[in-house]
């Protein structure tokens, strides 16, 4: 009986210590994603277009191989140009989806829930998207675009919704047995 009580309190101490140490680090992914987005935005228009063209080309070559289309190089180039715009905009949605999730998760860990999570994380991410577009206006061959902020906002909204669902389900299922509140009583 006495050993079980000691082990219970040792386990509780370890959980509290880990939470104390790891909670502040939960913001690190968001900082890294913001740095990544800033780095992409700092590329010149030519460099950015070349990178997205490379990605578009790889997508088309992979489709050609997987679907066994038998396209020659000129057909691959034509299809690369056809999807290039969509690949660029998909990149916007994806990077801001990841940003929203990486901003919302630590807020959730700190107890921000429901509509407040959506408002705080959403406002922060949309604000960052606006600043990012402003930053691009100073880069050669780039410009600020309200349309890109709207496209970024689609990724932000989707990232927030998915994060809320995952956190809610995780809290009700996986992490329910680990809850400090239930162990303390």
């Amino acid at each position: 009986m006495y050993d079980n009580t000691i082990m219970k309190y040792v386990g509780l101490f370890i959980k509290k210590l880990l939470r104390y140490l790891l909670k502040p680090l939960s913001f690190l992914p968001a900082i890294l994603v913001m740095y990544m987005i800033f780095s992409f935005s700092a590329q010149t228009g030519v460099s950015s277009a070349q990178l997205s063209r490379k990605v578009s080309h790889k997508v088309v070559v992979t489709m050609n191989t997987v679907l066994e289309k038998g396209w020659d190089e000129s057909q691959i180039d034509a299809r690369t140009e056809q999807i290039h715009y969509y690949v660029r905009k998909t990149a916007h949605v994806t990077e801001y989806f990841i940003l929203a999730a990486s901003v919302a998760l630590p807020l959730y860990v700190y107890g921000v829930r429901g509509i407040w999570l959506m408002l705080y994380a959403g406002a922060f991410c949309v604000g960052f998207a606006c600043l990012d577009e402003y930053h691009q206006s100073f880069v050669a061959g780039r410009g600020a675009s309200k349309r890109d902020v709207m496209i970024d906002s689609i990724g932000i909204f989707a990232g927030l919704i998915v994060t809320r669902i995952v956190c809610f389900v995780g809290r009700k299922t996986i992490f329910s047995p680990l809850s400090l509140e239930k162990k303390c009583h």
Side-chain angles (χ1 to χ4, degrees):
M1 176 81 174
Y2 183 69
D3 289 336
N4 284 340
T5 304
I6 291 174
M7 292 307 291
K8 185 186 294 185
Y9 284 109
V10 167
L12 184 60
F13 173 75
I14 290 171
K15 286 180 195 174
K16 283 187 177 185
L17 181 64
L18 283 173
R19 285 182 180 184
Y20 177 77
L21 294 174
L22 294 178
K23 276 177 93 170
L25 292 177
S26 65
F27 287 100
L28 188 58
I31 293 167
L32 293 174
V33 171
M34 288 186 287
Y35 176 75
M36 176 198 68
I37 292 170
F38 182 83
S39 296
F40 283 139
S41 294
Q43 294 176 334
T44 65
V46 172
S47 296
S48 178
Q50 286 174 343
L51 178 62
S52 59
R53 247 189 210 89
K54 259 190 217 178
V55 172
S56 301
H57 189 264
K58 283 188 183 274
V59 168
V60 172
V61 167
T62 302
M63 285 175 43
N64 187 34
T65 303
V66 171
L67 301 176
E68 299 176 356
K69 290 292 192 176
W71 296 327
D72 62 23
E73 201 55 43
S74 66
Q75 290 171 310
I76 289 173
D77 289 341
R79 284 174 175 76
T80 297
E81 286 306 313
Q82 287 175 339
I83 69 165
H84 181 246
Y85 174 82
Y86 300 103
V87 167
R88 287 184 71 83
K89 298 315 169 189
T90 301
H92 273 267
V93 171
T94 304
E95 65 189 6
Y96 278 91
F97 178 96
I98 294 168
L99 177 63
S102 66
V103 167
L105 186 60
L107 291 176
Y108 194 91
V109 167
Y110 275 94
V112 180
R113 306 275 198 276
I115 191 66
W116 295 112
L117 178 69
M118 301 287 286
L119 289 174
Y120 291 151
F124 179 84
C125 292
V126 170
F128 186 80
C130 292
L131 288 174
D132 182 52
E133 288 299 320
Y134 179 69
H135 164 244
Q136 285 183 37
S137 69
F138 296 103
V139 177
R142 306 288 294 265
S145 167
K146 291 177 186 175
R147 176 183 287 174
D148 282 351
V149 173
M150 295 304 294
I151 292 169
D152 298 340
S153 297
I154 293 167
I156 292 165
F157 183 71
L160 293 175
I161 294 295
V162 169
T163 302
R164 281 193 64 200
I165 291 168
V166 168
C167 288
F168 178 79
V169 170
R171 190 167 52 102
K172 294 296 182 186
T173 58
I174 299 168
F175 298 110
S176 182
L178 301 176
S179 174
L180 285 176
E181 294 78 30
K182 290 183 181 177
K183 298 289 182 185
C184 291
H185 296 282

